[in-house]
Amino acid sequence: MFRTLLAALPLLAAALPALAGPTLEAVKARGQLVCGVNSGVAGFSAPDSRGEFQGLDADFCRAIAAATLGDAGKVRFVPTTYQTRFVALQSGEVDVLARNVTQTLLRDTSLGFNMAGVNFYDGQGFMVSRASGIAAAKQLDGATVCVLPGSTSELNLGDWARREKIRVQPVVLGSMDEMTTAYQSGRCDAMTTDASQLAALRVSAIRAPEEHLILPERISKEPLGPMVRHGDEEWRDIVFWTFSAMVEAEELGITRTNVAEMKSSQDPNIQRLLGVTPGFGKALGLPEDWAFQVIRQVGNYGESFSRNLGAESPIRLDRGMNNLWTRGGLMYALPLR
């Protein structure tokens, strides 16, 4: 009898729907997802000429809205700064933070957040003018370096300088715009932040971008990804599996243009992802076609990367570590079973 009950437990668990957490209930009640984003980093989250946020993180916000509300357009973007981003999430002003946030132990514990996957693997770098003659990071000994306050970049800069036994003078600025302006005015010899942001700033905010270069060294690991509040595991699951679905769709060759016809595939992995095989939406407290809506309305991870950061964008960033694991990268979807 006891063994029979144990064998039945997985089947019973699969049959039970997820209990809706308070965040999902709030999102449904207002009919809108509130997403905390960066106030303006090209390729990740920045308003276009119509004032609509575009970028890898903005796409992910829309993907969560598609999964939970069936409509990727039901998002209100809340621009946040380095000083306000965590307060906005802790206070409940936003439902999720998707704005180039580095995932660290203290942010996961002391700040009371849950990390919900890594949507961009990055590392901190330096940008300098070609006229400076600096070609390697160690040549920054004695240099002034623009950096943002309260960021992992500020901490990493100090750690790196001590480790390399060189002296740098941080010039701490309150926003990315201030930092870019200070760098271009000559107030600092270099600017430092995540290398992806430097690449975006170089083409979108720097005059004569060909006169500036990003040094080859990376002085840190910067796993960037969405964060949610502790205490609502159901919501964390939804955010995490929404991103995983975008990666799995790319692995399986499912795109915005072919997702409808792929519903007729006999591949059991595709059937589970697109809701043909029921139960996986129910397990998240969502409609069975939640992932289908994400892919149909937003696309897979590779599509989002390409149009915002990659070959289809002005930034033209190489996929590198953000390629699929089958192509030498680190992106790997957990099994949807």
Side-chain angles (χ1 to χ4, degrees):
M1 174 70 76
F2 182 66
R3 288 182 179 177
T4 302
L5 286 172
L6 283 178
L9 283 176
L11 296 175
L12 288 170
L16 292 173
L19 296 174
T23 308
L24 178 59
E25 287 294 330
V27 169
K28 286 182 174 180
R30 80 169 79 94
Q32 187 181 57
L33 175 77
V34 182
C35 200
V37 294
N38 206 306
S39 56
V41 174
F44 287 92
S45 59
D48 61 17
S49 58
R50 298 171 297 175
E52 296 180 3
F53 274 86
Q54 305 295 341
L56 190 78
D57 287 334
D59 271 1
F60 185 54
C61 294
R62 293 187 176 97
I64 300 170
T68 55
L69 300 170
D71 187 343
K74 292 184 177 179
V75 184
R76 178 163 64 87
F77 294 99
V78 176
T80 62
T81 67
Y82 277 85
Q83 293 88 352
T84 65
R85 55 185 175 163
F86 295 139
V87 175
L89 183 58
Q90 289 166 330
S91 67
E93 180 186 352
V94 300
D95 302 312
V96 59
L97 198 59
R99 46 112 48 235
N100 315 83
V101 180
T102 300
Q103 302 191 353
T104 68
L105 184 148
L106 291 180
R107 290 174 179 178
D108 181 41
T109 55
S110 299
L111 293 185
F113 298 147
N114 277 339
M115 300 179 288
V118 176
N119 73 337
F120 194 90
Y121 290 94
D122 210 346
Q124 186 173 334
F126 298 94
M127 181 156 60
V128 297
S129 70
R130 292 186 184 275
S132 69
I134 296 172
K138 283 189 176 182
Q139 293 177 268
L140 292 169
D141 191 14
T144 52
V145 181
C146 283
V147 66
L148 293 167
S151 63
T152 54
S153 297
E154 185 181 11
L155 300 174
N156 293 334
L157 179 63
D159 289 347
W160 171 77
R162 285 188 291 273
R163 185 170 66 246
E164 297 297 330
K165 296 181 173 57
I166 65 174
R167 179 180 57 83
V168 295
Q169 181 180 337
V171 179
V172 181
L173 286 310
S175 70
M176 197 70 73
D177 287 343
E178 289 179 47
M179 185 167 72
T180 306
T181 300
Y183 169 72
Q184 293 192 97
S185 70
R187 192 173 160 192
C188 46
D189 302 309
M191 61 187 296
T192 186
T193 186
D194 299 341
S196 63
Q197 293 190 45
L198 291 175
L201 289 168
R202 182 174 173 272
V203 300
S204 66
I206 298 292
R207 296 185 300 273
E210 68 280 357
E211 296 177 9
H212 302 264
L213 75 149
I214 298 169
L215 299 179
E217 295 89 349
R218 300 292 176 266
I219 67 170
S220 71
K221 294 184 293 184
E222 303 295 329
L224 311 179
M227 288 187 173
V228 295
R229 289 179 293 278
H230 274 175
D232 192 343
E233 298 305 315
E234 293 79 13
W235 182 245
R236 184 266 173 195
D237 290 345
I238 288 169
V239 175
F240 175 85
W241 286 103
T242 295
F243 178 67
S244 191
M246 295 179 73
V247 175
E248 181 152 4
E250 184 181 10
E251 291 179 353
L252 296 172
I254 307 173
T255 67
R256 293 176 76 179
T257 55
N258 71 12
V259 65
E261 63 186 77
M262 291 292 267
K263 290 189 79 171
S264 61
S265 170
Q266 297 306 301
D267 185 330
N269 294 300
I270 294 175
Q271 291 179 337
R272 286 192 291 268
L273 180 64
L274 300 184
V276 177
T277 300
F280 299 94
K282 184 179 181 181
L284 289 169
L286 299 177
E288 294 297 345
D289 70 342
W290 65 277
F292 173 83
Q293 295 300 337
V294 169
I295 302 160
R296 182 178 70 84
Q297 297 182 49
V298 180
N300 67 39
Y301 178 76
E303 289 179 290
S304 179
F305 188 101
S306 181
R307 66 174 170 261
N308 292 303
L309 290 165
E312 298 176 46
S313 76
I315 301 169
R316 301 186 67 82
L317 201 64
D318 186 76
R319 285 281 296 264
M321 292 183 291
N322 296 291
N323 216 330
L324 295 179
W325 64 287
T326 52
R327 301 172 191 162
L330 298 176
M331 286 298 168
Y332 185 108
L334 272 63
L336 200 153
R337 299 192 67 88

